[in-house]
Amino acid sequence: MSDNASAWWRNAVIYQVYPRSFADADGDGVGDLNGFRSRLPYLRDLGVDAVWFSPWYRSPMADGGYDVADHCDIDPTLGTLADAEALIQEAHAVGIKVIIDVVPNHASTDHPWFRTALAAGPGAPERDLFYFRPGLGEHGEIAPNTWVSPFAGTTWTRVPDGEWYLHLFDASQPDFNWRHPQVIEYFDDVLRFWFDRGVDGIRIDSAPLVDKDPNLPEVAAVEEHPYSDRDDAHIVYRRWRRVAEEYGGDRALIGEVWLYDPVRFANYLRPDEMHGAFNFEFLCSEWGAARLRKVIDETLAAHAEVGAAASWVLNNHDVTRVVSRFGRADTAFSVATRRHDTPVDVELGARRARAAIMLALALPGSVYLYQGEELGLTEVEDIPFELRTDPMFHRSNQVDPGRDGCRVPLPWSGDAPPFGFSAADAAPPWLPQPAAWKAYSVQAQTGDPESMLEFYRRMLRLRSASPSLGDGPMSWLPAAPDVLAFARGDDDFACVVNLGGEPVELPPHREVILASAPLAGERLPSDTTVWLRT
């Protein structure tokens, strides 16, 4: 097993690609794998160690590709299996590892198994691969229970023959029955299919949800949650770990584990389960020293208990972009409180975002970036309602603005949409880009020493060159209540973050390595991070 300090996933900077919004090579307004391949030099020069692709599988795209119809083929809008194989080889050739998304909790209603189950009718064994149940009430007209979806609304849909099927998310995403051996074997084959093609890691979507109490009781009626973080879920990931180990021990399993109990969270990272998991407590935290220090301490303690490396993340395809979050009165993130027309101070948000990523990159472990954060992109909040695609928006009766705003296609060059995302004469991007993004394009920022992009490039070069950074020891330094200060490793590296409202004195140091904003002599301004040689 590769659980030593040099394992790549313990130290890597990993860049998330949302394929439909990264780069469009064929001119249909939707990003694709060949578009990504054409931009590989950009990521090489940015300095990332790996890329994680959101689902690229065959899908009707009812939920942005997380409704998978075939886990072993590429969606035609994104390319072909041959394109994916070439992409993996080309990424490896420039020193970038490839992580792909696997969605074990559910399929698409277009998945052949589900279509067969629907046609087979009540009582057919094909329905046992999912959760089909008769309804309650005199005529079965009432759903089997009152579970509420994270996407809002019911988790049940009735089919014409009267039965109901379970979908924790959208109705287009029926849940697999993970107590059925055919489901277990199917995903063994999916993992091997992609590992055989050279994939370096698997990101596991909605990892704690795979096991359900077969009685499907009401949530409040039982002590153990009936569908989230059940003990038997760990059986699945121990099995997946054994599959990964068949490939020499350098293939990583990385979980999407939305749990706020640090001990339960760390259970997924025991030595025979996953290698890493996303740190949502850090991502969701408000901008404040006390809260962030608590999150950092709890994160490191929980990971140390199981010998795993921590991860740090500020953005992904599901959450409001950090520049917008940190420019609001409430800087924490919660799906439950996400609303339209929330005021944003973009300048303040960008300043805090720069300070926050310097903090993340200095902490022990790996760091995840989401496409466009290195450009300082904000959440796009004025997408016309008729163009929004996210089921979270539609299922909440348009109360939740959803996730489209962080998925808008990237600006690469030029003064007007599509900003080099597609050719100038191509179909419009699948989500509209703001005209103001001409100032945020890769072309506009390249060579500007004050730009967010050049700032990210400098940070990643410095992190790569510093033996103290990545996984390893950390110790807190004395600091004022609104300041976080810590030392890393053995080469006299320190990170200091001022989250208060007034400048503070820098600690004794030999050299300023990098600051997220100009320093005031020997004072660290508000909302600023500095790396020091002490």
Side-chain angles (χ1 to χ4, degrees), residues 56-103:
W56 56 18
Y57 314 108
R58 187 176 292 274
S59 167
M61 298 291 171
D63 183 26
Y66 283 88
D67 47 320
V68 180
D70 186 343
H71 290 82
C72 297
D73 197 9
I74 301 298
D75 192 82
T77 63
L78 302 178
T80 66
L81 184 57
D83 295 334
E85 292 170 338
L87 182 158
I88 294 166
Q89 293 177 1
E90 291 165 8
H92 288 169
V94 296
I96 294 177
K97 295 184 182 296
V98 176
I99 301 166
I100 62 167
D101 234 312
V102 169
V103 186

Side-chain angles (χ1 to χ4, degrees), residues 170-512:
D170 189 61
S172 63
Q173 296 165 296
D175 282 31
F176 283 117
N177 173 14
W178 268 92
R179 298 187 173 224
H180 196 295
Q182 195 172 341
V183 173
I184 296 168
E185 293 164 4
Y186 172 79
F187 277 95
D188 286 352
D189 291 342
V190 169
L191 265 60
R192 291 191 179 101
F193 179 89
W194 290 108
F195 284 148
D196 286 344
R197 280 155 181 78
V199 162
D200 302 282
I202 301 292
R203 182 264 190 184
I204 306 166
D205 182 70
S206 301
L209 303 183
V210 291
D211 186 58
K212 279 86 174 172
D213 184 328
N215 295 317
L216 305 179
E218 298 293 347
V219 173
V222 287
E223 183 174 344
E224 185 179 24
H225 198 291
Y227 65 79
S228 178
D229 189 34
R230 292 174 54 79
D231 288 343
D232 282 355
H234 296 283
I235 297 172
V236 173
Y237 302 121
R238 291 190 188 103
R239 184 182 181 105
W240 283 25
R241 178 62 171 256
R242 292 193 294 272
V243 172
E245 294 295 338
E246 294 173 10
Y247 291 82
D250 62 350
R251 310 299 173 95
L253 303 177
I254 300 157
E256 182 194 29
V257 182
W258 279 94
L259 296 175
Y260 296 107
D261 180 329
V263 175
R264 298 292 296 185
F265 174 91
N267 284 344
Y268 290 84
L269 303 178
R270 290 176 286 198
D272 61 346
E273 294 192 43
M274 301 177 193
H275 302 86
F278 297 99
N279 189 340
F280 290 110
E281 276 287 271
F282 185 77
L283 183 153
C284 295
S285 177
E286 66 267 21
W287 183 244
R291 176 60 181 157
L292 282 169
R293 179 161 180 161
K294 182 175 186 290
V295 169
I296 291 165
D297 283 339
E298 290 180 348
T299 295
L300 295 177
H303 284 74
E305 284 290 319
V306 292
S311 73
W312 312 97
V313 58
L314 295 169
N315 295 273
N316 69 25
H317 64 295
D318 286 333
V319 304
T320 305
R321 285 191 178 274
V322 70
V323 170
S324 293
R325 290 205 315 275
F326 281 176
R328 293 174 173 170
D330 180 0
T331 55
F333 174 76
S334 170
V335 171
T337 60
R338 183 168 52 191
R339 293 294 181 268
H340 300 277
D341 302 321
T342 306
V344 175
D345 181 335
V346 172
E347 183 178 351
L348 177 63
R351 182 182 182 92
R352 289 172 170 172
R354 290 167 73 106
I357 189 59
M358 276 191 72
L359 166 63
L361 287 166
L363 289 168
S366 60
V367 177
Y368 287 81
L369 311 178
Y370 175 53
Q371 64 178 45
E373 77 168 81
E374 77 278 13
L375 303 177
L377 298 184
T378 57
E379 189 81 356
V380 181
E381 301 188 276
D382 60 353
I383 300 171
F385 280 18
E386 66 272 15
L387 298 181
R388 293 177 185 256
T389 66
D390 187 5
M392 295 186 81
F393 169 74
H394 295 288
R395 288 173 60 92
S396 68
N397 294 318
Q398 304 180 353
V399 172
D400 183 342
R403 301 162 295 175
D404 290 319
C406 66
R407 299 176 177 183
V408 173
L410 296 188
W412 291 94
S413 60
D415 294 328
F419 295 120
F421 169 73
S422 305
D425 58 352
W430 69 281
L431 285 173
Q433 300 161 304
W437 273 14
K438 67 180 180 181
Y440 292 84
S441 74
V442 172
Q443 181 184 59
Q445 296 194 47
T446 295
D448 177 359
E450 304 303 317
S451 71
M452 186 74 86
L453 176 58
E454 294 295 355
F455 174 64
Y456 266 72
R457 288 170 171 164
R458 287 197 298 276
M459 281 190 297
L460 296 187
R461 284 196 299 269
L462 288 166
R463 185 182 188 271
S464 177
S466 174
S468 294
L469 300 184
D471 196 26
M474 166 190 151
S475 56
W476 290 108
L477 300 173
D482 286 333
V483 175
L484 299 178
F486 55 90
R488 293 297 318 277
D490 300 322
D491 69 346
D492 304 323
F493 180 98
C495 177
V496 185
V497 190
N498 181 8
L499 296 100
E502 300 294 332
V504 296
E505 292 292 331
L506 291 173
H509 60 279
R510 293 184 291 113
E511 178 189 2
V512 172

